[in-house]
Amino acid sequence: MTGNGFRTKLVRGVPLVEDPAREACFTCVDLEREMEEWPDMSDRSRRERLHRHMNNECGALEIAAQALVDFPDVPWELRLRLARQAADEARHTAGLLQRVRELGGHKGEFPVMNFEWGLATLLPSMAGRLAVQNRTFEAGLIDLLGSLQHTWREAGDTRTAELLDAILADEIVHVRFGNQWIRRLTEADARVLLQVAHAVRTLGHTVRALATEGDVNRSGFIMGTKPPPAVNVHGRLEAEFTEEEVKEVLRQAGFRAILPHHLGTAG
Amino acid sequence: MTFTVRARADAIATFRFISVSLMETLARWVPTTPELEVKVLFGRHLWELAQHADAFGRRTAELRLGPQVSRDPAPGFLAFLTTLRATTETAGRIAKFYDGALSRLESLYRDYLTRTDGLLDEPSVRILERALSDLTRLRHEAAEVRRERPEIGTVERSPDGTEPSPSLDAVVQFRSEQVGAESSPA
């Protein structure tokens, strides 16, 4: 049981908070290999991508909402930001559900995974959650959306591309306030850095334990063979990552980047 | 006769407390409500309550109570908020929140508006008028979700929603004389 009253579960030996409430039509799974995913842009693949994204946005809504419950004593301005984030993620969820339906899909058509909820709500500090949820997961989404909207546009689906572009704009705001508040909390109390370090260690340990490279998912797709999304340098700089931090991400990503003109050959 | 500055501050700070509490209630319900459309509704609406709380908190500073100050409501209303928060079924949550809590809040705001000085306390009046407009929209949006998910919306109206709303005096714990010598300009 966690401090906030949720039960935990063990997945490949690491603890995660049990899934948030989902309707019976959804199948919740714990591992990527249990998901369905296709590398092409077939109708089925499009619906699965949007369905997966919808559940991820729903998870982000739940994480932001739970932070309001778990940390009532953080500064009001931060709570206000979290409340706004929850509302943004709710709108994203609704927009994606609408698009899933427009493409002939429905809730529960594909399995869903609540990994981000399971990890983020396990963390006992506000700064730790900002570091993992806003600065890591949502920053990863900045990269992903930077690439994906082009993929959808090239596939002829301008409507979905525009939806993803609107979501990207909001996510940049969420990452930016995460960065700003980690700085503010750290400046107020240097011990906050320990909380951030603990959160990042937990994230690394959990991701390594759940790594699925080489596994074959339910659709027959070999996990780990798809290249990671290009680093969205412009988006990350807008979200107030420092140039040094962006260069570090570029280094880790092997320099696959959407480069802004003013950075030239970043790195 | 009209409210003293201190009495206005007490009331606005109590409204802030209630708005924060309702925001937290919706936040608590988001991960524990299965229905996606309802989860989304609660997620969008908790931000509305947060904005109301913020506006009240800015006003408490202007009313010399300090920024973002909250005051506990009277024990009876506090108990109502606590009971509301403990609701577990989706249908009950929607009914108790939108039919019960928000209608009570509307009643309190209207009570305040009829009793405060519209000129001297105009900033509070504007905040409350906007909040009332928002609350009406929130209730309409909840009704839309009930129509979209009729199996949720067919629940009986919450008994809380049929009880008379408490008066301002029964909810706000005034810490000074409520009325002063200030009078409305002729």
Side-chain angles (χ1 to χ4, degrees):
Chain A
M1 192 79 87
T2 61
N4 50 27
F6 289 97
R7 293 180 187 282
T8 56
K9 59 183 177 183
L10 280 180
V11 180
R12 284 188 173 169
V14 293
L16 292 172
V17 174
E18 281 198 342
D19 293 320
R22 287 287 180 276
E23 291 169 88
C25 62
F26 285 102
T27 302
C28 295
V29 300
D30 290 326
L31 297 169
E32 273 290 340
R33 72 176 184 201
E34 299 171 288
M35 295 287 280
E36 294 180 2
E37 182 181 14
W38 297 271
D40 56 27
M41 287 296 279
S42 63
D43 289 349
R44 181 180 58 176
S45 175
R46 291 182 197 211
R47 293 198 307 276
E48 194 282 327
R49 287 164 186 254
L50 291 170
H51 188 274
R52 178 191 295 245
H53 191 172
M54 174 191 75
N55 189 67
N56 288 345
E57 293 288 346
C58 185
L61 155 62
E62 291 163 325
I63 292 166
Q66 192 60 39
L68 288 169
V69 176
D70 291 342
F71 306 107
D73 297 326
V74 300
W76 171 249
E77 301 146 273
L78 176 54
R79 300 192 87 198
L80 201 55
R81 290 287 199 168
L82 290 165
R84 171 57 190 268
Q85 182 181 354
D88 290 345
E89 311 293 12
R91 288 187 295 102
H92 301 166
T93 305
L96 288 160
L97 173 58
Q98 185 183 347
R99 193 68 189 129
V100 164
R101 287 173 170 159
E102 287 168 357
L103 294 181
H106 57 85
K107 286 185 295 184
E109 185 177 7
F110 304 99
V112 294
M113 201 166 80
N114 299 304
F115 167 72
E116 295 180 4
W117 159 270
L119 177 61
T121 55
L122 197 63
L123 300 169
S125 69
M126 185 70 254
R129 289 201 199 173
L130 289 173
V132 166
Q133 175 60 19
N134 294 58
R135 239 180 93 86
T136 306
F137 293 150
E138 302 240 339
L141 194 55
I142 289 177
D143 295 341
L144 190 61
L145 291 171
S147 302
L148 273 184
Q149 57 175 302
H150 299 301
T151 306
W152 284 89
R153 214 175 287 278
E154 285 165 10
D157 189 340
T158 308
R159 169 136 172 68
T160 299
E162 285 172 357
L163 171 63
L164 298 184
D165 195 32
I167 293 174
L168 172 60
D170 291 336
E171 302 300 356
I172 287 172
V173 175
H174 304 160
V175 178
R176 185 189 300 138
F177 92 70
N179 278 328
Q180 290 170 342
W181 272 97
I182 287 175
R183 276 197 286 274
R184 284 178 69 170
L185 294 170
T186 305
E187 283 164 10
D189 181 357
R191 286 172 297 185
V192 167
L193 278 174
L194 295 175
Q195 298 169 350
V196 172
H198 167 262
V200 172
R201 265 201 317 275
T202 303
L203 171 66
H205 172 67
T206 306
V207 167
R208 278 192 298 278
L210 302 183
T212 54
E213 199 163 334
D215 281 351
V216 178
N217 74 8
R218 288 167 50 155
S219 317
F221 181 65
I222 302 171
M223 310 304 297
T225 56
K226 190 171 66 175
V231 179
N232 185 345
V233 173
H234 226 108
R236 281 183 178 259
L237 289 173
E238 275 187 75
E240 293 192 14
F241 279 99
T242 64
E243 289 199 8
E244 284 307 308
E245 288 170 330
V246 172
K247 285 176 183 173
E248 175 59 22
V249 176
L250 285 170
R251 189 187 62 73
Q252 291 174 12
F255 294 87
R256 292 186 65 255
I258 302 168
L259 282 172
H261 297 302
H262 78 274
L263 268 191
T265 51
Chain B
M1 300 289 276
T2 181
F3 285 136
T4 60
V5 169
R6 184 55 191 263
R8 286 175 200 145
D10 286 340
I12 296 295
T14 306
F15 295 158
R16 184 181 188 278
F17 180 101
I18 296 168
S19 297
V20 171
S21 174
L22 294 177
M23 172 196 79
E24 290 173 343
T25 294
L26 290 180
R28 186 177 296 274
W29 289 351
V30 164
T32 56
T33 299
E35 295 83 359
L36 193 63
E37 295 83 353
V38 182
K39 209 183 271 283
V40 164
L41 184 79
F42 291 162
R44 287 175 45 231
H45 287 180
L46 70 86
W47 160 238
E48 307 274 355
L49 273 304
Q51 288 177 88
H52 294 178
D54 190 58
F56 290 136
R58 291 171 193 270
R59 184 66 181 142
T60 58
E62 295 167 355
L63 293 169
R64 306 174 68 190
L65 203 57
Q68 302 300 339
V69 172
S70 288
R71 293 275 196 232
D72 289 7
F77 201 82
L78 203 54
F80 165 74
L81 294 173
T82 305
T83 304
L84 172 71
R85 186 171 291 190
T87 309
T88 53
E89 296 301 316
T90 303
R93 285 176 171 179
I94 294 176
K96 287 184 180 176
F97 194 87
Y98 294 98
D99 301 336
L102 293 196
S103 66
R104 284 167 187 230
L105 205 51
E106 286 174 347
S107 176
L108 288 174
Y109 291 172
R110 289 205 172 90
D111 196 359
Y112 183 93
L113 288 173
T114 59
R115 292 168 62 182
T116 197
D117 186 301
L119 182 63
L120 298 180
D121 195 20
E122 188 174 19
S124 301
V125 170
R126 294 290 167 261
I127 292 168
L128 287 165
E129 285 175 345
R130 289 178 196 129
L132 279 168
S133 169
D134 289 342
L135 295 181
T136 301
R137 179 168 47 78
L138 264 51
R139 279 149 62 89
H140 283 154
E141 289 172 356
E144 283 172 20
V145 170
R146 282 165 155 159
R147 279 193 292 276
E148 188 181 352
R149 299 291 304 260
E151 75 278 17
I152 298 169
T154 52
V155 72
E156 286 178 26
R157 191 178 171 84
S158 161
D160 294 339
T162 60
E163 289 173 6
S165 293
S167 69
L168 196 62
D169 301 291
V171 173
V172 177
Q173 302 193 88
F174 290 104
R175 285 158 170 78
S176 63
E177 290 295 318
Q178 286 183 45
V179 293
E182 301 166 2
S183 59
S184 300

